[in-house]
Amino acid sequence: MAKRRLRCEECGELIDFEDLVYCEKCDAPLHEWCITPSRYFEDGVYCSNCAEELDEEIEDSDEYSYTGGRCPNCGVPYVREENLVWCPNCGYEPF
């Protein structure tokens, strides 16, 4: 019985078992080199559609009001909550 191989949702090529990862949001099969990092959750495994959706959800959230500045460590836009400005990805505080 032959092993079933999956196709990568990003590039369409067959995935060897040792290179297989799944999108954390939609469970799409991906090559480990085809994952797309979210700007806000860079350590996650996401397909490009889910990474874009996550970024849009955070940017559109009423919970955060963005200051326009970006973190020098990871390039993510700062958020402001009351008197605190910080990076939602790594926690860096510029002030």
Side-chain angles (χ1 to χ4, degrees):
M1 181 174 186
K3 282 187 174 181
R4 182 174 169 236
R5 291 176 62 195
L6 301 171
R7 289 200 179 270
C8 177
E9 289 292 320
E10 294 296 318
C11 71
E13 298 294 322
L14 291 174
I15 307 171
D16 291 330
F17 180 74
E18 62 271 4
D19 300 323
L20 175 64
V21 294
Y22 291 95
C23 175
E24 292 179 25
K25 189 170 180 190
C26 72
D27 291 327
L30 305 163
H31 288 111
E32 63 183 346
W33 56 83
C34 288
I35 64 172
T36 303
S38 163
R39 290 187 308 243
Y40 301 99
F41 302 103
E42 293 179 354
D43 58 343
V45 174
Y46 304 104
C47 66
S48 59
N49 290 334
C50 289
E52 186 176 320
E53 285 176 15
L54 281 171
D55 292 341
E56 287 174 5
E57 285 173 16
I58 290 174
E59 288 173 359
D60 293 342
S61 171
D62 291 338
E63 183 177 351
Y64 301 117
S65 100
Y66 289 85
T67 65
R70 290 189 173 269
C71 176
N73 296 328
C74 56
V76 172
Y78 293 129
V79 298
R80 178 184 306 259
E81 289 182 333
E82 297 185 14
N83 294 330
L84 179 65
V85 176
W86 58 286
C87 172
N89 184 55
C90 70
Y92 175 79
E93 296 177 21
F95 309 109

